[in-house]
Amino acid sequence: MATGKGATRLGYTPVVPELPEVEVTRRRLSPMLVGRVIERVETTKDSYFFLTKPEALKRRLTGRSVRELKRIGKYLLAELDDGDRLLLHLGMTGQLFSSAVSSVRLFSAKSRGSLPAEALRQFKADAHTHLSLHFADGGPSVLFRDVRKFGKVALIRAGSEDPRLDKLGVDALAADGHTLFSAARARKIPIKSLLLDQSVIAGIGNIYADEALFLAKVRPTRSARRVSERHCEAIVLASQRVMKRSIATGGSSISDYVNPDGSDGGYQNERKVYARKGLPCLVCKTPIRRVVIATRSTHYCPECQV
Ligand SMILES: [Zn+2]
């Protein structure tokens, strides 16, 4: 996602963790969380990062253990042994990982140069580490770090709902062509906008929407109501294909994202249109075009996609 102000301040264009990164996080974080008793909780001071106040988080999480770590769209949900659920959202720059990591992405160039090699193998909570879970078994902690604080953490009491989850449509990996087609029929908005609407299909983000539309040969600007059921099916299947491929390779290697074990993803080398403006289409050699749809950077081949 390119946002003018943020891009200027950071010196690069931030890209949001999408479903595959969140699913990779879920799979790798699960064994670091499930079954371990939380002994102590550390937080930074209260801010918009905390949908549940830090004091309440500390009180309710201490002594609990995580039964299961689930994912709905781009949200992670840790189900606790008392029935409460801890909702975690990576936002744009959120990083969820074990304290026993060695990812260069967690250390500034300056500290990489000055710290001894041992120090780089163990990350110590810093001013951007908003939530630290320490466990009774004395093993590695689980840390939630977010430089820009667009990530979120909330505790949902047993039996209660959450408006963020209620608004979500079918999870992208469980959706089918009909999910998209029934939402598309009466809509005059571009098909790309509909794909990004989380209340229809939850979890398709900007990169995967562009890639899926390319594979399905549908131009992102086409009016949703002019997309046939067959094409809707092709788009959903293509989105699932690229997301599953991305999960299998460990998520995209995007600016701030780190896997919970500190490793980098590898999907970015397989992108066919996203961030390839002006480069030749891999099918027909026509230069890839970039347009903006609903403030989102959008890439397509004007020849292959109609
Ligand atoms: Zn082409």
Side-chain angles (χ1 to χ4, degrees):
M1 183 206 294
T3 50
K5 264 187 177 166
T8 314
R9 194 167 64 241
L10 287 168
Y12 61 81
T13 305
V15 180
V16 183
E18 300 204 27
L19 187 152
E21 288 80 33
V22 180
E23 177 61 17
V24 170
T25 298
R26 186 191 71 76
R27 292 181 187 186
R28 298 196 187 173
L29 199 62
S30 282
M32 300 171 188
L33 267 180
V34 173
R36 300 177 73 195
V37 177
I38 300 166
E39 188 182 61
R40 196 162 51 86
V41 178
E42 278 183 294
T43 68
T44 48
K45 66 175 174 26
D46 192 19
S47 68
Y48 53 85
F49 177 84
F50 296 100
L51 298 177
T52 300
K53 297 271 181 207
E55 287 314 312
L57 277 180
K58 288 176 189 172
R59 200 170 55 240
R60 298 217 202 112
L61 288 175
T62 304
R64 303 270 61 82
S65 65
V66 174
R67 261 201 312 237
E68 193 181 355
L69 186 62
K70 292 184 170 174
R71 180 192 57 76
I72 305 172
K74 299 177 203 172
Y75 289 94
L76 287 172
L77 263 183
E79 298 198 338
L80 305 176
D81 58 349
D82 64 353
D84 285 0
R85 294 178 296 167
L86 182 68
L87 179 131
L88 303 158
H89 191 258
L90 293 174
M92 294 176 78
T93 53
Q95 303 169 319
L96 256 171
F97 55 97
S98 155
S99 62
V101 299
S102 58
S103 172
V104 292
R105 283 160 192 272
L106 293 171
F107 298 96
S108 68
K110 187 162 164 265
S111 62
R112 280 205 294 278
S114 62
L115 288 172
E118 311 85 75
L120 295 176
R121 276 195 287 274
Q122 174 89 41
F123 182 82
K124 291 262 186 289
D126 61 2
H128 302 298
T129 308
H130 303 295
L131 181 68
S132 305
L133 303 177
H134 306 292
F135 299 94
D137 59 21
S141 306
V142 167
L143 310 177
F144 191 169
R145 183 173 186 258
D146 192 347
V147 172
R148 296 180 76 188
K149 288 199 285 197
F150 290 141
K152 290 285 170 271
V153 57
L155 198 73
I156 306 167
R157 297 307 298 266
S160 44
E161 303 297 315
D162 185 89
R164 276 161 292 270
L165 300 179
D166 295 343
K167 278 191 306 213
L168 296 179
V170 187
D171 184 75
L173 294 183
D176 58 24
H178 192 72
T179 315
L180 184 61
F181 184 63
S182 51
R185 279 158 73 179
R187 305 294 291 277
K188 288 182 182 173
I189 58 170
I191 185 68
K192 164 91 185 262
S193 300
L194 193 66
L195 272 183
L196 295 178
D197 182 343
Q198 301 295 302
S199 70
V200 176
I201 297 179
I204 299 186
N206 204 34
I207 300 173
Y208 297 95
D210 281 8
E211 295 296 316
L213 288 165
F214 176 77
L215 292 175
K217 300 185 167 66
V218 175
R219 199 177 282 212
T221 51
R222 200 199 295 181
S223 181
R225 60 184 181 150
R226 296 190 189 281
V227 180
S228 68
E229 183 157 20
R230 192 173 56 84
H231 272 128
C232 283
E233 193 167 330
I235 293 166
V236 172
L237 286 177
S239 73
Q240 290 169 343
R241 207 163 85 215
V242 286
M243 287 191 287
K244 283 177 181 170
R245 173 76 190 134
S246 182
I247 291 166
T249 56
S252 301
S253 207
I254 56 178
S255 51
D256 291 292
Y257 174 74
V258 290
N259 285 325
D261 54 7
S263 58
D264 288 340
Y267 180 73
Q268 84 285 5
N269 297 327
E270 296 180 23
R271 285 179 198 155
K272 299 205 165 38
V273 284
Y274 188 82
R276 295 194 67 246
K277 181 193 169 190
L279 295 173
C281 167
L282 299 175
V283 172
C284 73
K285 307 264 196 307
T286 305
I288 297 298
R289 207 172 276 176
R290 178 187 175 275
V291 292
V292 173
I293 296 177
T295 75
R296 310 299 294 273
S297 189
T298 299
H299 307 78
Y300 69 95
C301 171
E303 194 60 38
C304 294
Q305 294 170 262
V306 290

